[in-house]
Amino acid sequence: MERLVTVEEARFTLHETRAVGKTPVGFVPTMGALHDGHLALIRQARTECETVVVSVFVNPTQFNEKSDLDAYPRDLERDAALCAEAGADLLFTPDAAEIYPQGFSTTVTVDGTLSRLLEGTFRPGHFAGVATVVAKLLNILQPDRAYFGEKDWQQLKVVERMVADLNLPVAVVPCPTVREPDGLAMSSRNTRLSPEARQQAKVIPYLLDTAQDLLDSSNREMPTNLGPVLRHWLLTLLESHQPTAEREYIAVVDPETLVDVNEITDRALVVIALRVGGVRLIDNRMIRVRAEVSRF
Ligand code: AMP
């Protein structure tokens, strides 16, 4: 696996890669502290692409709290070993000055509900940071396919919108969320959980799974305001199971617009952001009206 540090090196190497026909090129952007969730993206890219490039860049502009940026786990040598093991051909690890040189002044913003709601409410400017860095990385590397986790569903939708709106010649490939055996979504932030907070965090997959159970059991009636009803049940469950968890949001939304849904006719996305033991965790799950559950 070759390491690329500067934009010039990355451009040159990717140009050569394309010139000798080692395409399609698959790209997996990450902020490092790699875990099996990231590695699943790299492995999927490996099965679908001739060349796989991974980036590790802790993007300062998408953090709203300096303490969160400072506390973000970093171990480049470990990440490089894991990338190589998972089958990456190229690893791009620019530093902040390479991506944001003196005088840098351009921001890519995706307007509307996709950026404004949920994460957008609690992390102002976050998606502008994400969209800008992803646009830059896609321009530098010019991959054919770019892999993003459904764990960060809203980010996936923002990136899809940005790629479509700017006519970027890349296919955005969504990848399923990888979970710990007890259901907690893998996240670089999980390493910051105390043993007690790690136990408390289990309430998140519990609520997401229960949302599907509640949908199944309410199929007989299907009230037109099932979205708010489900949300209310989930809030009550959170309060009884983990009253100390700090809730940022729990919502039942349209998966494409992220707007709260009332009626659930086919599917809806349950999204959760909680702080447990001072660590902010987000997760989501698609819930579906199941045909096999009898309705009358
Ligand atoms: P990050 O390093 O957190 O910016 O994540 C890099 C990419 O990995 C993003 O596309 C994330 O959505 C994805 N990712 C992070 N955690 C998981 C997970 N548990 N399962 C699947 N993809 C993930």
Side-chain angles (χ1 to χ4, degrees), residues 40-114:
L41 269 57
I42 300 172
R43 292 193 192 105
Q44 185 169 336
R46 179 74 283 161
T47 63
E48 297 173 0
C49 302
E50 221 21 69
T51 299
V52 175
V53 50
V54 178
S55 65
V56 171
F57 178 62
V58 183
N59 178 33
T61 65
Q62 70 188 69
F63 286 82
N64 337 58
E65 293 166 27
K66 189 169 180 307
S67 57
D68 194 23
L69 173 63
D70 293 342
Y72 205 83
R74 293 170 172 84
D75 188 345
L76 202 47
E77 290 318 308
R78 176 181 171 276
D79 288 343
L82 289 172
C83 283
E85 215 174 289
D89 302 296
L90 302 167
L91 176 61
F92 183 40
T93 59
D95 64 20
E98 189 68 19
I99 296 295
Y100 303 111
Q102 195 75 35
F104 183 86
S105 319
T106 300
T107 302
V108 178
T109 51
V110 175
D111 288 335
T113 57
L114 286 184

Side-chain angles (χ1 to χ4, degrees), residues 93-140:
T93 59
D95 64 20
E98 189 68 19
I99 296 295
Y100 303 111
Q102 195 75 35
F104 183 86
S105 319
T106 300
T107 302
V108 178
T109 51
V110 175
D111 288 335
T113 57
L114 286 184
S115 284
R116 200 178 65 236
L117 300 175
L118 305 173
E119 290 298 285
T121 307
F122 287 90
R123 305 184 69 186
H126 169 69
F127 287 121
V130 169
T132 303
V133 81
V134 171
K136 279 181 69 84
L137 291 169
L138 292 175
N139 275 330
I140 294 165

